[in-house]
Amino acid sequence: SGSPTLSGTLSGNTPSLSWSAVSVSNTTTPTVYTVARSAWDASTYTWVSQGIIGSTTGTTMSDATVPVTLNSYQGNSAPAECTYTYAVYTVKAYNSGRAAYSDAIYYQGNADGSTPNQITCP
């Protein structure tokens, strides 16, 4: 089996994710895709959410419960943790005892963190 290729869009503050279907041979069992999210709040320098947000046998999911305000899709480019609030997503494809993981994608929020000279970033 291959790894899902993950991409995204942003509508207002709602991230939407889509990924390629993973092919698995010698089974008729549907592949289950599990979406994980981590959200970083730069104003408090804390992770405000980490974990699985849902599972599906489809290849799309929207996240209307993201706990931070986002304003742009960054693809595979991670925002500067000291400066920007952001959310990062991954997808795990699972079928017949096999798992494959996507690369991470990022959505960036406001530059509401302190400057690196004012605080030591985690």
Side-chain angles (χ1 to χ4, degrees), residues 51-79:
I52 295 169
I53 62 165
S55 294
T56 182
T57 55
T59 57
T60 62
M61 183 176 284
S62 292
D63 183 9
T65 64
V66 65
V68 293
T69 301
L70 303 171
N71 53 37
S72 66
Y73 171 64
Q74 299 295 304
N76 297 107
S77 299

Side-chain angles (χ1 to χ4, degrees), residues 18-100:
S18 61
W19 53 90
S20 59
V22 173
S23 62
V24 179
S25 58
N26 300 324
T27 184
T28 57
T29 305
T31 299
V32 175
Y33 300 95
T34 303
V35 178
R37 172 191 70 212
S38 295
W40 172 256
D41 184 343
S43 68
T44 61
Y45 290 96
T46 57
W47 291 103
V48 293
S49 171
Q50 291 180 294
I52 295 169
I53 62 165
S55 294
T56 182
T57 55
T59 57
T60 62
M61 183 176 284
S62 292
D63 183 9
T65 64
V66 65
V68 293
T69 301
L70 303 171
N71 53 37
S72 66
Y73 171 64
Q74 299 295 304
N76 297 107
S77 299
E81 191 171 83
C82 287
T83 305
Y84 294 99
T85 291
Y86 66 90
V88 57
Y89 294 84
T90 58
V91 171
K92 177 179 90 171
Y94 183 81
N95 191 317
S96 301
R98 296 182 189 151

